[in-house]
Amino acid sequence: MHPTHPTAVLLASLLPSPVFSTTPKHHPSSFHPSAIITRDVAIIGGGSSGTHAAITLKDANKSVIVVEIKNRLGGHTETYKDPATGLAQDYGVQVYHNESTVLDYFARFDIPLGQPQYAGNDANYDFSTGLAVNVSAPSVQDLGAGLQKYAAFLAQFPKLESGMFLPDPVPEDLTMPFGDLVAKVGLEALVQMMFSTNQGIGDILSVPVVENARVNGLGLVQQLAANSLVATARRNNSELYGKAQAELLDADSLLLSSEVVRSVRRESGVELVVKTPDGVKLVRAKKLLVTIPPRVDLLARFDLRRQEREVFGKLIDVGYYAALVKNTGTPDDLVIYNRAPDTPYNLAALPGVYTMGPTAIPGVKAIYYGSQWSNATYPLSDDFVKGEMIAGIKRLQTANADKFEATEPEFVVFTSHAPFYTQAGPEDIYAGIYDEMNALQGVRSTYWSGATFRAQDSSALWKFNKEIVLPMLMEGL
Ligand SMILES: Cc1cc2nc3c(=O)[nH]c(=O)nc-3n(C[C@H](O)[C@H](O)[C@H](O)COP(=O)(O)OP(=O)(O)OC[C@H]3O[C@@H](n4cnc5c(N)ncnc54)[C@H](O)[C@@H]3O)c2cc1C
């Protein structure tokens, strides 16, 4: 086999890097012209931020190629279509901020928005024992007063609404545990709500204030106070990604089920060897936008330099898991919060279930589960989480035989969203990790978007793309 034959290049690119470095480097001349894709921008990951970036760049007449490892766009956005009823149910991303970036994006795809539907009766149970827990919910007045105090606190740091742009030096108010801020500012009424609005963050009372504020930030607080969040009227957030997918495929701008196996990143542009279902392609792009979680293991094929390894190596993350389950034995309209009888604010211990609540599909409930922080990319195994979900439901049934039926719960769908909420610890935040991460923007033609650089919040990510990342990236294109 000739060393420059495409198959040789594929084999070489699949070998671990020490071996690869002794083999001939891939060169554009080793790829058949039909296997070379030349674009203004290559985007890694076609979830919330990658898809938004691709569509925005396409609308600005820039050529793009999205490399997505799965066979569909959407990332954490997932929608189940019930074959029996035809009903759609989102069990990933649910709601959005009512603001122009969001409204314009959905309008572009002609997808109607409406009010989120929260129908259901609330109940509090301890999934670890199955027993009901007495929880006193804060009054509407206390919630409103808490939101005002928190908004006044956040207003001191307006740049946080644009990204992880922290003052230098980083004030202790931003690195202290969120639980300490609660006591200092008087935010007790907000804790249970924020535990729900920021699922998958880890232990919310210990998390640095600024990490909680990524999602529970001024933007969301204002939306909550005004009760103005929006959702897709057809309860099908995947419709946006389906339409974007069709459009990008039509424009030869999307490689699904594809993965970068080797890269060279230079100031003059990037070259990516991409394994696709149609063979190995060479992508040449002026700029690269990476939107996948920047875990060092996930970026192994991206030609990371020492500085990038060091910064990303400090990040921790969380396991967050979502499922639709039938035969739970609980009434369809019951929203069950997992509460503990003896913890501050009755917050459930993690790892554990957050909630199990109604869906549009009769007999099917949505259940969400979270881990504690971890250095591991995948903190818990899927089998462990599935087992814990089912065991929790069975405990509810056993302890409440008068209310719930003893049935055998069955998974309709299950998804691990790990690694989720990739974040930094207080010492690293104080030492300036977010300045270091922001300083990576543009280095060796590479730009970074996605939740780690902004928030696990699609509205915030689209604004981040529009206002911060894409203007930088488009300069000189
Ligand atoms: C259950 C759940 C509910 C949520 N609810 C809401 C909500 O109501 N409102 C809200 O605003 N936000 C919500 N979020 C948060 C929202 O999902 C995130 O804010 C958003 O999806 C993050 O976007 P992203 O682009 O960073 O990552 P993702 O959307 O995860 O996109 C990353 C993409 O990269 C792909 N990928 C990974 N590795 C590779 C690789 N090596 N090569 C190529 N592609 C790769 C993935 O398959 C994925 O498609 C929710 C999240 C979850 C999990």
Side-chain angles (χ1 to χ4, degrees):
M1 185 189 297
H2 191 273
T4 56
H5 188 278
T7 312
V9 175
L10 164 62
L11 288 175
S13 65
L14 294 176
L15 291 170
S17 37
V19 179
F20 183 83
S21 60
T22 64
T23 62
K25 286 205 165 171
H26 72 267
H27 187 274
S29 62
S30 49
F31 282 82
H32 188 271
S34 64
I36 300 177
I37 299 169
T38 305
R39 296 286 186 273
D40 290 326
V41 185
I43 299 173
I44 311 303
S48 181
S49 47
T51 302
H52 177 268
I55 292 295
T56 308
L57 287 165
K58 181 171 176 285
D59 286 351
N61 294 318
K62 306 299 173 197
S63 60
V64 299
I65 189 81
V66 178
V67 180
E68 165 58 48
I69 203 164
K70 292 192 178 161
N71 64 359
R72 61 164 194 104
L73 291 183
H76 296 314
T77 299
E78 291 195 303
T79 310
Y80 175 71
K81 265 267 180 82
D82 180 39
T85 60
L87 291 167
Q89 176 63 46
D90 288 309
Y91 62 106
V93 176
Q94 306 278 328
V95 293
Y96 306 92
H97 301 196
N98 188 350
E99 61 190 23
S100 61
T101 311
V102 171
L103 304 183
D104 293 349
Y105 193 35
F106 281 99
R108 185 197 180 283
F109 290 102
D110 197 20
I111 297 173
L113 295 170
Q115 290 231 313
Q117 297 166 32
Y118 299 118
N121 298 313
D122 293 354
N124 298 299
Y125 285 89
D126 183 345
F127 276 71
S128 70
T129 61
L131 299 173
V133 179
N134 240 338
V135 174
S136 54
S139 68
V140 175
Q141 288 76 9
D142 286 350
L143 268 177
L147 286 173
Q148 271 187 8
K149 280 189 262 184
Y150 186 52
F153 167 79
L154 291 172
Q156 300 173 82
F157 311 105
K159 283 188 167 178
L160 284 183
E161 276 306 285
S162 307
M164 297 304 281
F165 303 119
L166 282 62
D168 181 15
V170 182
E172 199 194 339
D173 273 359
L174 292 181
T175 56
M176 69 165 67
F178 179 65
D180 289 4
L181 186 79
V182 168
K184 182 174 171 182
V185 182
L187 306 177
E188 290 79 2
L190 302 186
V191 173
Q192 282 169 6
M193 183 184 74
M194 289 195 171
F195 188 64
S196 288
T197 52
N198 211 356
Q199 292 185 13
I201 190 180
D203 174 5
I204 194 168
L205 293 177
S206 310
V207 79
V209 168
V210 69
E211 292 295 351
N212 179 47
R214 285 169 178 258
V215 171
N216 283 322
L218 198 53
L220 182 63
V221 166
Q222 285 163 349
Q223 298 282 319
L224 290 170
N227 195 20
S228 58
L229 288 168
V230 291
T232 49
R234 290 191 272 265
R235 281 186 183 220
N236 185 353
N237 290 321
S238 295
E239 194 180 344
L240 186 148
Y241 294 96
K243 288 185 170 178
Q245 183 169 312
E247 188 177 326
L248 292 172
L249 284 174
D250 207 39
D252 278 336
S253 298
L254 175 57
L255 297 172
L256 290 171
S257 307
S258 298
E259 202 177 342
V260 170
V261 291
R262 187 172 199 280
S263 356
V264 177
R265 299 188 288 130
R266 299 193 190 94
E267 293 308 322
S268 55
V270 299
E271 286 180 354
L272 312 170
V273 179
V274 184
K275 205 172 113 199
T276 83
D278 298 326
V280 178
K281 311 276 181 195
L282 176 70
V283 170
R284 307 182 75 193
K286 293 177 193 157
K287 307 272 177 100
L288 173 68
L289 177 64
V290 182
T291 72
I292 66 177
R295 301 278 312 178
V296 173
D297 54 347
L298 301 184
L299 293 173
R301 302 299 178 133
F302 285 87
D303 184 22
L304 288 189
R305 293 288 154 88
R306 189 165 59 92
Q307 188 197 9
E308 290 165 326
R309 277 176 201 284
E310 278 178 9
V311 176
F312 296 146
K314 292 175 188 160
L315 297 170
I316 53 176
D317 56 47
V318 177
Y320 185 40
Y321 311 85
L324 297 180
V325 181
K326 60 182 178 182
N327 300 335
T328 66
T330 63
D332 272 4
D333 65 347
L334 199 63
V335 187
I336 303 182
Y337 290 88
N338 186 16
R339 303 289 191 205
D342 47 11
T343 57
Y345 311 98
N346 299 109
L347 299 185
L350 298 175
V353 170
Y354 281 101
T355 53
M356 183 169 78
T359 69
I361 304 162
V364 174
K365 308 277 292 250
I367 182 165
Y368 299 93
Y369 189 98
S371 81
Q372 247 318 353
W373 297 298
S374 175
N375 288 319
T377 302
Y378 304 102
L380 301 171
S381 77
D382 291 4
D383 283 348
F384 173 81
V385 176
K386 281 178 167 179
E388 286 299 298
M389 285 178 168
I390 298 294
I393 297 170
K394 293 296 288 178
R395 284 191 283 267
L396 293 180
Q397 294 176 355
T398 308
N400 304 279
D402 54 330
K403 294 197 186 77
F404 305 145
E405 283 175 56
T407 53
E408 288 309 317
E410 258 180 73
F411 285 99
V412 178
V413 282
F414 171 91
T415 300
S416 164
H417 293 281
F420 198 70
Y421 224 115
T422 310
Q423 57 188 281
E427 293 84 13
D428 290 325
I429 298 171
Y430 184 74
I433 189 171
Y434 288 118
D435 282 353
E436 287 179 66
M437 282 171 58
N438 292 331
L440 295 176
Q441 296 285 12
V443 174
R444 292 196 293 146
S445 310
T446 305
Y447 295 78
W448 304 85
S449 186
T452 313
F453 280 79
R454 177 61 187 95
Q456 291 290 352
D457 178 322
S458 287
S459 312
L461 281 170
W462 300 340
K463 221 168 152 202
F464 181 59
N465 272 348
K466 189 169 114 180
E467 294 178 358
I468 306 290
V469 181
L470 296 179
M472 277 192 286
L473 182 149
M474 278 199 267
E475 234 174 73
L477 267 189

